Amino acid sequence: MVKKFRIGSPFDTEAVIEKIEISDTKDFPLGLSLGEKAVLKFNIEKDDMIFGLGEAVRGINKRGWIYESWCSDETNHTEDKRSLYGAHNFIVVSGKEKFGLFVDFPAKIEWDLCYSECDEVKITLDGKSADFYYIKGKNERGIVREFRRIIGKSYIPPFWAFGYQQSCWGYAKQEDFVNVRENHRNNNLPLDCIYMDIDYMERFKDFTVNRDLFPDFKAFVDDMKANNIHLIPIIDAGVKKEKGYSVYEEGHEKGFFCKNADGTDFECGVWPGIVGLPDFLNKDARRWFGSQYDALSDLGIDGFWNDMNEPAIFYSVDGLNKAMKKLDDIRGKDVDIWGFFGIKDALMGVQNSMDDYSNFYHNIDGKLVCHKDVHNLYGAFMTTAAGEYFEEKFGKEKKLIFSRASYIGAHRTSGIWFGDNFSWWSHILLNLKMLPSVNMCGFLYCGADLGGFNNNVTRDLLLRWLTLGVFTPLMRNHRALGTRAQEAYQFGDCKEFSDVLSVRYRLIPYIYSTFRRCSEEDDMMFRPLSFDYPDDKIAREVEDQLMLGDECMIAPIYEQNKNGRTVYLPEDMSFVKLSGENVKIEKLKKGIHYISVELNEVPLFIKNGKNIPLAKPALNTAELDTENLTYLL
Ligand code: MIG
């Protein structure tokens, strides 16, 4: 049962597609007050839990912190942060009373989840026009299903997008990509995709290919395809301001870039230098941008990742001038310690600044709307621009597309990845915790940078992380420029990597069919144990294991120098270790167990009475035999 309540005249975010009648706000069960800002306030019981908020730091149970919905280019995913790249405004409160709440509002929201007051939830909107959806159901999973029903079916990518994928910010030359392909193949390491980061472009211009690096790009793409490798180029939000660059000139002429208050184009600096920000909130601009992907699709490209679409702004021309002015004022004076901090702040404050977000505008049906009031839709609409265009032109399930920034609604046409994590052991766990939360919000095709983006990886970290990645729909190893090489063949003997990656391919039929079912039935692929065992006190608190589909539980090892870990079994299960073609099975009773797991083994738990299919290992999805399957048990 879903009830919809409205205050003011909300912006159409396109998140909910089901028509629902609006109920009288007098009947809204959560305390609502309208001052300067709309505030929801209600108390929960001491042991109640709060789930949701999609892509965010901290636990699966979100109680005890302040989160903010504000899509942010945040490269440091530490516990002190309040926002990451997505704005996923859906929570489920689970106690004696169980309900879901979706706050459909595209500007900033502060979620004080029992942080300021122990048992009080206080949700503050930066505005007074919004739709609230209050959802009842018989249990947490049912509430999520109800919510997912009204926001529409989740995106399904092409089958090959379930293969293993290699990425690195720094691959530039044709040879780099060929080496990645050959090194995988020669070492018996499966692979389906290689990513192209910003270096493939001509001076970071969207939809261009650097001809010095790729003299015949189409032939190159074809050659990769003939080897069963898909190349996946990145697309950044900002469009380089350059004379003669047709995307910029056309966008400028048609008025498709975001504007300053005086009607001129808002300009800011990102990788290409000065760029125009396409006005994805304008329907015509959106459609126009979507059609630009043709430039690469025409050359045989069938997948893309959209980046920098929070939007990330290194500096605005205006902001940089102001900072320079501050520095000029200080120059020549005696700088004391506070003066020094003044200099530092003046420079640091230039990037992704609220001043900038408050200072440019969208043209929505002829009306100028301040960016800050619709900020959280920007990246989502960039990605639906592409996703909708692809579905119309090529049909469903033909193109791979996923985004860094997102809002609920974008889940219908694309996936997401979790952005710039670190090569830290704790980020394996963060990766795991985000999975059920984003599933609640509709995002099924998702994953983190395996091995970690920032910082230097170690061999054991990558291996252990891959044993979680084996289960995530997007299984991509990606790293930042200048960090330690982290392809599976960079660590001497590749056998252990080959063992783990082979398990992925053996499991693809299961993972793919589970994924499809979850999309079709509005279900979660990954669930906290508490959703399945609500009356089990221990299960309710487990934050380092997940239920997968209706058959399995996963529990990766996420600490260094450990030969295993402790797991909690909420019922009797078969403990399975998969490695290459090997399978070891042990029956375990409900309760706490210490399990030993070698670096080349993928641990998995199967519920009694359940079973899952296995394929033979393959070097890519095209060569995967999905007909002749055996059963694990
Ligand atoms: O400012 O394109 O999250 O995956 O490698 C960094 C370079 C821009 C951020 C993305 C990351 C990508 C990187 N990008």
Side-chain angles (χ1 to χ4, degrees):
M1 188 274 299
V2 183
K3 283 200 148 187
K4 175 177 180 178
F5 301 91
R6 170 165 289 183
I7 52 170
S9 42
F11 186 84
D12 181 12
T13 67
E14 301 178 24
V16 173
I17 55 169
E18 171 101 351
K19 278 241 168 307
I20 301 167
E21 255 178 63
I22 299 174
S23 304
D24 194 328
T25 39
K26 281 205 305 293
D27 301 328
F28 191 48
L30 309 171
L32 169 66
S33 60
L34 296 170
E36 269 286 288
K37 299 177 170 194
V39 177
L40 297 184
K41 221 194 243 188
F42 53 93
N43 284 297
I44 61 174
E45 304 278 315
K46 183 174 145 290
D47 290 325
D48 289 1
M49 302 168 88
I50 305 171
F51 300 99
L53 292 187
E55 195 178 6
V57 296
R58 295 193 173 229
I60 297 178
N61 179 358
K62 301 243 96 64
R63 183 175 181 146
W65 186 241
I66 296 200
Y67 298 88
E68 276 172 10
S69 295
W70 183 261
C71 296
S72 302
D73 167 23
E74 173 57 72
T75 192
N76 235 316
H77 306 174
T78 44
E79 274 182 36
D80 53 321
K81 297 295 153 39
R82 294 181 174 188
S83 324
L84 296 176
Y85 312 90
H88 304 147
N89 306 336
F90 175 61
I91 58 171
V92 168
V93 175
S94 156
K96 249 183 262 127
E97 258 236 81
K98 293 184 201 293
F99 62 90
L101 171 71
F102 174 48
V103 181
D104 193 8
F105 179 68
K108 186 181 266 187
I109 305 175
E110 187 183 273
W111 304 79
D112 184 336
L113 305 180
C114 309
Y115 168 80
S116 301
E117 299 282 340
C118 283
D119 298 323
E120 186 188 85
V121 172
K122 185 176 171 201
I123 303 165
T124 310
L125 284 63
D126 201 4
K128 280 191 294 193
S129 287
D131 283 331
F132 302 107
Y133 296 84
Y134 180 80
I135 304 157
K136 290 292 257 184
K138 65 174 188 307
N139 54 33
E140 292 82 355
R141 192 172 176 181
I143 292 168
V144 171
R145 277 202 164 139
E146 245 335 69
F147 174 57
R148 293 268 304 277
R149 187 179 58 77
I150 67 166
I151 59 173
K153 301 269 173 277
S154 300
Y155 164 76
I156 302 178
F159 181 68
W160 50 262
F162 288 82
Y164 178 60
Q165 319 187 1
Q166 181 62 51
S167 183
C168 165
W169 175 11
Y171 297 156
K173 302 184 298 303
Q174 221 159 274
E175 194 191 330
D176 297 341
F177 297 90
V178 174
N179 283 342
V180 172
R181 179 184 87 197
E182 292 304 304
N183 281 325
H184 278 86
R185 187 153 273 264
N186 296 338
N187 289 298
N188 211 25
L189 298 163
L191 187 69
D192 266 88
C193 302
I194 308 177
Y195 281 70
M196 311 187 81
D197 208 317
I198 47 177
D199 301 296
Y200 78 88
M201 293 182 237
E202 192 187 289
R203 294 189 295 288
F204 303 130
K205 285 168 4 194
D206 278 342
F207 313 114
T208 68
V209 176
N210 184 322
R211 273 193 228 141
D212 296 333
L213 298 173
F214 304 93
D216 186 346
F217 189 62
K218 177 149 193 346
F220 182 59
V221 176
D222 287 346
D223 173 60
M224 280 289 182
K225 277 239 178 94
N227 284 279
N228 294 321
I229 297 290
H230 300 260
L231 287 173
I232 315 292
I234 196 170
I235 302 295
D236 279 6
V239 171
K240 184 176 177 65
K241 181 180 180 183
E242 190 182 89
K243 239 188 151 1
Y245 170 37
S246 64
V247 183
Y248 177 78
E249 291 195 333
E250 214 179 297
H252 173 72
E253 267 156 39
K254 295 192 162 142
F256 285 166
F257 292 122
C258 293
K259 298 278 186 278
N260 294 307
D262 66 5
T264 55
D265 285 357
F266 171 76
E267 296 183 344
C268 59
V270 212
W271 292 110
I274 295 296
V275 300
L277 292 178
D279 186 355
F280 299 117
L281 282 104
N282 172 313
K283 289 214 168 75
D284 297 330
R286 213 160 126 182
R287 186 148 176 97
W288 165 77
F289 194 85
S291 68
Q292 299 302 315
Y293 288 76
D294 277 348
L296 292 164
S297 299
D298 288 349
L299 300 172
I301 292 294
D302 46 16
F304 299 90
W305 48 313
N306 283 348
D307 190 20
M308 306 297 274
N309 51 1
E310 294 70 30
I313 296 180
F314 291 168
Y315 62 89
S316 68
V317 175
D318 204 36
L320 193 60
N321 284 338
K322 279 191 188 137
M324 297 289 211
K325 170 95 184 32
K326 267 192 206 148
L327 297 183
D328 283 341
D329 291 346
I330 300 171
R331 197 190 306 276
K333 292 192 188 130
D334 218 4
V335 177
D336 62 4
I337 184 92
W338 303 112
F340 165 74
F341 285 126
I343 296 175
K344 208 173 136 204
D345 291 348
L347 283 177
M348 302 286 282
V350 169
Q351 198 166 346
N352 300 324
S353 110
M354 203 44 140
D355 282 352
D356 287 335
Y357 293 127
S358 313
N359 266 331
F360 68 88
Y361 297 83
H362 299 273
N363 176 352
I364 301 166
D365 302 324
K367 262 197 11 222
L368 281 192
V369 176
C370 181
H371 174 76
K372 121 176 171 318
D373 296 328
V374 288
H375 173 79
N376 288 337
L377 296 177
Y378 190 80
F381 280 19
M382 173 189 182
T383 303
T384 39
E388 281 168 3
Y389 184 78
F390 295 155
E391 287 192 2
E392 217 181 283
K393 181 158 176 172
F394 304 100
K396 281 184 180 283
E397 301 179 33
K398 294 291 185 243
K399 295 263 176 195
L400 170 61
I401 171 92
F402 60 88
S403 176
R404 198 169 71 173
S406 60
Y407 186 85
I408 291 170
H411 71 285
R412 293 189 297 269
T413 49
S414 76
I416 49 173
W417 96 100
F418 301 159
D420 302 348
N421 56 10
F422 274 70
S423 296
W424 289 343
W425 289 87
S426 61
H427 276 183
I428 299 182
L429 203 49
L430 183 62
N431 179 173
L432 178 141
K433 290 177 190 192
M434 275 194 220
L435 292 167
S437 311
V438 301
N439 277 189
M440 288 174 68
C441 300
F443 292 96
L444 293 185
Y445 191 77
C446 61
D449 289 350
L450 301 172
F453 177 75
N454 294 298
N455 203 35
N456 293 324
V457 77
T458 59
R459 184 175 192 276
D460 51 351
L461 174 65
L462 180 57
L463 277 165
R464 292 301 199 197
W465 207 326
L466 288 172
T467 67
L468 169 60
V470 153
F471 300 104
T472 62
L474 167 63
M475 187 190 189
R476 184 179 78 144
N477 173 337
H478 179 49
R479 70 173 173 95
L481 188 67
T483 58
R484 181 181 183 183
Q486 82 183 27
E487 294 84 5
Y489 51 80
Q490 300 283 5
F491 306 91
D493 187 1
C494 299
K495 172 74 169 51
E496 287 181 308
F497 287 93
S498 167
D499 286 344
V500 172
L501 296 181
S502 297
V503 171
R504 165 65 167 211
Y505 284 76
R506 300 206 72 191
L507 289 171
I508 283 179
Y510 173 67
I511 291 167
Y512 184 72
S513 60
T514 304
F515 182 97
R516 280 201 85 90
R517 180 188 62 72
C518 290
S519 172
E520 277 151 21
E521 296 176 5
D522 304 320
D523 203 359
M524 295 165 70
M525 189 163 166
F526 298 99
R527 294 178 310 282
L529 270 57
S530 56
F531 279 30
D532 288 35
Y533 306 93
D535 302 323
D536 179 329
K537 278 213 172 82
I538 303 178
R540 266 177 84 74
E541 293 184 1
V542 171
E543 292 247 359
D544 58 359
Q545 307 171 199
L546 293 175
M547 303 310 295
L548 162 61
D550 277 325
E551 297 78 14
C552 311
M553 183 178 83
I554 58 170
I557 281 75
Y558 56 89
E559 288 177 308
Q560 191 159 27
N561 301 320
K562 297 273 169 88
N563 291 312
R565 58 167 285 176
T566 305
V567 288
Y568 176 64
L569 270 58
E571 58 177 287
D572 296 356
M573 292 182 181
S574 297
F575 168 43
V576 181
K577 289 190 273 195
L578 295 144
S579 180
E581 297 215 52
N582 295 326
V583 181
K584 288 184 196 155
I585 301 165
E586 189 184 340
K587 294 241 179 227
L588 293 181
K589 290 268 169 228
K590 172 182 162 123
I592 294 170
H593 298 268
Y594 180 84
I595 54 161
S596 298
V597 182
E598 301 287 338
L599 281 173
N600 65 340
E601 292 176 328
V602 179
L604 177 64
F605 300 82
I606 314 275
K607 296 207 281 191
N608 273 355
K610 302 283 185 182
N611 207 344
I612 66 167
L614 284 179
K616 278 228 164 309
L619 284 178
N620 51 61
T621 52
E623 291 170 15
L624 186 73
D625 179 356
T626 54
E627 301 288 310
N628 300 301
L629 305 176
T630 52
Y631 272 90
L632 178 57
L633 299 176

